[in-house]
Coordinates of all heavy atoms in Angstrom, one line a residue:
I85 N -7.9 -62.3 103.6 CA -8.6 -61.7 104.7 C -9.1 -60.3 104.2 O -10.2 -59.9 104.3 CB -7.8 -61.6 106.0 CG1 -7.7 -63.1 106.5 CG2 -8.5 -60.7 107.0 CD1 -7.0 -63.1 107.8
P105 N -10.7 -58.5 112.1 CA -10.7 -59.9 111.7 C -9.6 -60.7 112.5 O -9.6 -62.0 112.4 CB -10.3 -59.8 110.2 CG -9.5 -58.5 110.1 CD -10.0 -57.6 111.2
E106 N -8.8 -60.0 113.3 CA -7.8 -60.6 114.0 C -7.2 -59.6 115.0 O -7.7 -58.5 115.0 CB -6.5 -61.1 113.1 CG -5.9 -59.9 112.3 CD -4.6 -59.6 112.8 OE1 -3.7 -60.5 113.1 OE2 -4.3 -58.3 113.0
G107 N -6.4 -60.1 115.9 CA -6.0 -59.2 117.1 C -4.7 -58.6 117.0 O -4.4 -57.7 117.9
T108 N -3.8 -59.0 116.2 CA -2.4 -58.6 116.2 C -2.2 -57.1 115.8 O -1.6 -56.3 116.5 CB -1.6 -59.4 115.3 OG1 -1.8 -60.8 115.7 CG2 0.0 -59.1 115.5
A109 N -2.9 -56.7 114.6 CA -2.7 -55.3 114.1 C -3.4 -54.4 115.1 O -2.7 -53.3 115.5 CB -3.4 -55.2 112.8
Y131 N -4.7 -61.0 124.7 CA -6.1 -60.4 124.4 C -7.0 -61.7 124.3 O -6.6 -62.8 124.0 CB -6.3 -59.6 123.2 CG -5.6 -60.2 122.0 CD1 -6.3 -61.0 121.1 CD2 -4.3 -59.9 121.7 CE1 -5.8 -61.6 120.0 CE2 -3.7 -60.6 120.6 CZ -4.4 -61.4 119.8 OH -3.9 -61.9 118.7
R137 N -14.8 -62.6 110.5 CA -14.3 -62.8 109.1 C -15.5 -63.4 108.3 O -16.2 -64.4 108.7 CB -13.2 -63.9 109.0 CG -11.9 -63.3 109.7 CD -10.7 -64.3 109.6 NE -9.7 -64.0 110.5 CZ -8.7 -64.7 110.7 NH1 -8.5 -65.8 110.1 NH2 -7.7 -64.3 111.6
E139 N -16.2 -65.7 106.1 CA -15.8 -66.9 105.5 C -16.9 -67.8 105.3 O -18.0 -67.6 105.8 CB -14.8 -67.6 106.5 CG -13.5 -66.8 106.7 CD -12.4 -67.7 107.3 OE1 -11.8 -68.4 106.5 OE2 -12.2 -67.6 108.5
G144 N -16.1 -75.7 112.9 CA -14.8 -75.1 113.2 C -14.4 -73.8 112.4 O -13.3 -73.2 112.7
R145 N -15.3 -73.4 111.6 CA -15.0 -72.1 110.9 C -16.2 -71.2 110.9 O -17.2 -71.6 110.3 CB -14.6 -72.3 109.4 CG -14.1 -71.1 108.7 CD -13.4 -71.3 107.5 NE -14.2 -71.7 106.4 CZ -13.8 -72.3 105.3 NH1 -12.5 -72.5 105.1 NH2 -14.6 -72.7 104.4
Y146 N -16.2 -70.1 111.6 CA -17.3 -69.3 111.8 C -17.0 -67.8 111.3 O -15.9 -67.4 111.0 CB -17.6 -69.3 113.3 CG -17.7 -70.7 113.9 CD1 -16.6 -71.1 114.7 CD2 -18.7 -71.5 113.6 CE1 -16.7 -72.4 115.1 CE2 -18.8 -72.8 114.0 CZ -17.7 -73.3 114.8 OH -17.7 -74.6 115.3
R147 N -18.1 -67.1 111.3 CA -17.9 -65.6 110.9 C -17.7 -64.7 112.1 O -17.0 -63.8 112.0 CB -19.2 -65.2 110.1 CG -19.2 -65.8 108.8 CD -20.3 -65.5 107.9 NE -20.2 -66.1 106.6 CZ -21.1 -66.1 105.7 NH1 -22.2 -65.5 105.9 NH2 -20.9 -66.7 104.6
Q148 N -18.2 -65.2 113.2 CA -17.7 -64.6 114.5 C -17.1 -65.7 115.3 O -17.8 -66.7 115.5 CB -18.9 -63.9 115.3 CG -18.3 -63.3 116.6 CD -19.4 -62.7 117.5 OE1 -20.2 -62.0 117.0 NE2 -19.1 -62.7 118.8
F149 N -15.9 -65.5 115.7 CA -15.1 -66.5 116.5 C -14.4 -65.9 117.5 O -14.2 -64.7 117.5 CB -14.3 -67.5 115.6 CG -13.3 -66.7 114.8 CD1 -11.9 -66.7 115.2 CD2 -13.6 -66.1 113.6 CE1 -11.0 -66.0 114.5 CE2 -12.7 -65.4 112.9 CZ -11.3 -65.3 113.3
T150 N -13.8 -66.7 118.4 CA -13.1 -66.1 119.5 C -11.6 -66.5 119.6 O -11.3 -67.7 119.2 CB -13.7 -66.6 120.8 OG1 -15.1 -66.5 120.8 CG2 -13.2 -65.9 122.1
Q151 N -10.8 -65.5 119.7 CA -9.4 -65.8 119.8 C -8.8 -65.3 121.1 O -9.1 -64.4 121.7 CB -8.5 -65.0 118.7 CG -8.5 -65.7 117.3 CD -7.6 -64.9 116.4 OE1 -7.2 -63.8 116.6 NE2 -7.4 -65.5 115.2
G153 N -5.1 -64.4 122.2 CA -3.7 -64.2 121.6 C -2.8 -63.6 122.5 O -3.1 -63.0 123.5
C154 N -1.5 -63.9 122.3 CA -0.4 -63.4 123.1 C 0.6 -62.8 122.2 O 1.0 -63.5 121.2 CB 0.1 -64.5 124.1 SG 0.6 -66.0 123.2
E155 N 1.1 -61.7 122.6 CA 2.1 -61.0 121.7 C 3.2 -60.4 122.6 O 3.0 -59.8 123.6 CB 1.4 -59.9 120.9 CG 0.1 -60.2 120.4 CD 0.0 -60.9 119.1 OE1 1.1 -61.0 118.4 OE2 -1.1 -61.3 118.6
R282 N 1.4 -68.9 105.9 CA 0.5 -68.1 106.7 C -0.2 -67.0 105.8 O 0.5 -66.5 104.9 CB 1.0 -67.5 107.9 CG 1.9 -68.5 108.7 CD 1.0 -69.1 109.8 NE 0.3 -68.2 110.7 CZ -1.0 -68.2 110.8 NH1 -1.7 -69.0 110.3 NH2 -1.5 -67.2 111.7
F284 N -1.0 -63.9 106.2 CA -0.8 -62.4 106.6 C 0.5 -61.9 106.0 O 1.5 -62.7 106.0 CB -0.7 -62.2 108.1 CG -2.0 -62.8 108.8 CD1 -2.2 -64.1 109.1 CD2 -3.0 -61.8 109.2 CE1 -3.2 -64.6 109.7 CE2 -4.1 -62.3 109.8 CZ -4.2 -63.7 110.1
Y286 N 2.3 -59.7 107.4 CA 3.2 -59.1 108.4 C 4.3 -60.0 108.9 O 5.2 -59.6 109.6 CB 2.4 -58.4 109.5 CG 1.4 -59.2 110.2 CD1 1.7 -60.4 110.9 CD2 0.1 -58.7 110.4 CE1 0.7 -61.1 111.6 CE2 -0.9 -59.4 111.1 CZ -0.5 -60.6 111.7 OH -1.5 -61.3 112.4
Y287 N 4.2 -61.3 108.5 CA 5.1 -62.3 109.1 C 6.5 -62.1 108.6 O 6.8 -61.8 107.3 CB 4.7 -63.6 108.9 CG 3.5 -63.9 109.9 CD1 2.3 -64.4 109.3 CD2 3.6 -63.9 111.2 CE1 1.3 -64.7 110.2 CE2 2.6 -64.2 112.0 CZ 1.4 -64.6 111.5 OH 0.3 -64.9 112.3
E293 N 2.2 -73.2 113.3 CA 0.7 -73.5 113.3 C 0.6 -74.8 114.2 O 1.5 -75.6 114.2 CB 0.3 -73.8 111.9 CG -1.1 -73.4 111.7 CD -1.5 -73.2 110.2 OE1 -1.8 -74.2 109.6 OE2 -1.5 -72.2 109.7
V294 N -0.4 -74.9 115.1 CA -0.5 -76.1 115.8 C -1.8 -76.8 115.3 O -2.9 -76.1 115.3 CB -0.7 -75.8 117.3 CG1 -0.9 -77.1 118.1 CG2 0.7 -75.2 117.8
A304 N -6.4 -76.4 112.4 CA -5.5 -75.5 113.2 C -6.2 -74.9 114.4 O -7.2 -74.3 114.4 CB -5.1 -74.3 112.3
I305 N -5.6 -75.3 115.6 CA -6.1 -74.9 116.9 C -5.4 -73.6 117.4 O -5.7 -73.1 118.4 CB -6.2 -76.0 118.0 CG1 -4.8 -76.6 118.1 CG2 -7.2 -76.9 117.7 CD1 -4.7 -77.5 119.3
G306 N -4.5 -73.2 116.5 CA -3.8 -71.9 116.9 C -2.6 -71.8 115.9 O -2.2 -72.7 115.2
A307 N -2.1 -70.5 115.8 CA -1.1 -70.2 114.8 C -0.4 -68.9 115.2 O -1.1 -68.0 115.9 CB -1.7 -70.2 113.5
G308 N 0.7 -68.6 114.6 CA 1.4 -67.4 114.9 C 2.7 -67.2 114.2 O 3.0 -67.9 113.2
G309 N 3.5 -66.3 114.7 CA 4.8 -66.1 114.1 C 5.4 -64.7 114.5 O 4.8 -64.0 115.2
R310 N 6.5 -64.5 113.9 CA 7.3 -63.2 114.2 C 6.8 -62.2 113.2 O 6.5 -62.5 112.0 CB 8.7 -63.6 114.1 CG 9.6 -62.4 114.4 CD 11.1 -62.9 114.8 NE 11.2 -63.2 116.2 CZ 11.2 -62.4 117.2 NH1 11.1 -61.1 116.9 NH2 11.3 -62.7 118.4
Y311 N 6.7 -61.0 113.6 CA 6.4 -59.9 112.7 C 7.3 -58.6 113.0 O 6.8 -57.6 113.7 CB 4.9 -59.6 112.8 CG 4.3 -59.4 114.2 CD1 4.2 -58.2 114.8 CD2 3.9 -60.6 114.9 CE1 3.6 -58.1 116.1 CE2 3.3 -60.4 116.2 CZ 3.3 -59.1 116.8 OH 2.7 -59.0 118.0
V326 N 6.7 -60.9 118.3 CA 6.3 -62.3 117.9 C 5.0 -62.6 118.7 O 4.8 -62.1 119.9 CB 7.4 -63.3 118.3 CG1 7.8 -63.3 119.7 CG2 7.1 -64.8 117.8
G327 N 4.1 -63.4 118.1 CA 2.8 -63.7 118.7 C 2.2 -64.9 118.2 O 2.6 -65.5 117.3
Y328 N 1.0 -65.2 118.9 CA 0.3 -66.5 118.6 C -1.2 -66.2 118.9 O -1.5 -65.4 119.8 CB 0.8 -67.5 119.5 CG 0.3 -68.9 119.3 CD1 1.1 -69.9 118.7 CD2 -1.0 -69.3 119.8 CE1 0.6 -71.1 118.4 CE2 -1.4 -70.6 119.7 CZ -0.6 -71.5 118.9 OH -1.2 -72.8 118.8
A329 N -2.0 -66.9 118.2 CA -3.5 -66.8 118.5 C -4.1 -68.1 118.6 O -3.9 -69.0 117.6 CB -4.3 -65.8 117.6
V330 N -4.8 -68.5 119.6 CA -5.6 -69.7 119.7 C -7.0 -69.5 119.2 O -7.7 -68.5 119.7 CB -5.6 -70.1 121.2 CG1 -6.5 -71.4 121.5 CG2 -4.2 -70.4 121.7
G331 N -7.5 -70.4 118.4 CA -9.0 -70.4 118.2 C -9.7 -71.1 119.1 O -9.6 -72.3 119.3
V332 N -10.5 -70.4 120.0 CA -11.0 -70.8 121.2 C -12.2 -71.9 120.8 O -12.2 -73.0 121.5 CB -11.7 -69.8 122.1 CG1 -12.3 -70.3 123.3 CG2 -10.4 -68.9 122.5
E333 N -13.0 -71.6 119.8 CA -14.0 -72.6 119.5 C -13.5 -73.9 119.0 O -13.9 -75.0 119.4 CB -14.9 -72.1 118.3 CG -15.9 -71.0 118.7 CD -15.3 -69.6 118.8 OE1 -14.1 -69.5 118.5 OE2 -16.0 -68.6 119.0
R334 N -12.4 -73.8 118.3 CA -11.7 -75.1 117.8 C -11.0 -75.8 119.0 O -11.2 -77.0 119.0 CB -10.7 -74.7 116.7 CG -11.3 -74.4 115.5 CD -10.2 -74.3 114.4 NE -10.8 -73.5 113.3 CZ -10.1 -73.1 112.2 NH1 -8.8 -73.4 112.1 NH2 -10.7 -72.3 111.2
Ligands
HAM28 P1 -5.0 -67.1 112.2 O1 -4.2 -68.3 111.7 O2 -5.7 -66.4 111.1 O3 -3.9 -66.1 112.8 O4 -5.9 -67.4 113.3 C1 -5.4 -68.1 114.5 C2 -6.4 -69.2 114.9 O5 -7.7 -68.7 115.0 C3 -6.5 -70.3 113.9 O6 -5.5 -71.3 114.0 C4 -7.8 -70.8 114.2 O7 -7.8 -71.7 115.3 C5 -8.7 -69.7 114.6 N1 -9.5 -69.1 113.6 C6 -9.2 -68.4 112.5 N2 -10.2 -68.2 111.7 C7 -11.2 -68.8 112.2 C8 -12.7 -68.9 111.9 N3 -13.2 -68.4 110.8 N4 -13.4 -69.6 112.7 C9 -12.9 -70.2 113.9 N5 -11.6 -70.1 114.3 C10 -10.9 -69.5 113.5 C11 -4.2 -64.9 113.3 O8 -5.3 -64.4 113.4 C12 -2.9 -64.1 113.8 N6 -3.3 -62.9 114.3 C13 -2.1 -64.9 114.8 C14 -1.0 -64.2 115.3 C15 -0.9 -63.7 116.5 N7 0.2 -64.0 114.7 C16 0.9 -63.3 115.4 N8 0.3 -63.0 116.6

Side-chain angles (χ1 to χ4, degrees):
I85 294 184
E106 61 107 43
T108 309
Y131 51 89
R137 295 184 195 172
E139 292 196 83
R145 186 163 72 194
Y146 311 107
R147 290 182 175 168
Q148 178 179 328
F149 58 98
T150 313
Q151 276 187 349
C154 52
E155 318 278 350
R282 310 268 305 122
F284 302 80
Y286 53 59
Y287 287 120
E293 216 159 80
V294 177
I305 47 172
R310 182 161 275 288
Y311 48 93
V326 60
Y328 186 99
V330 172
V332 176
E333 285 83 358
R334 287 192 198 172

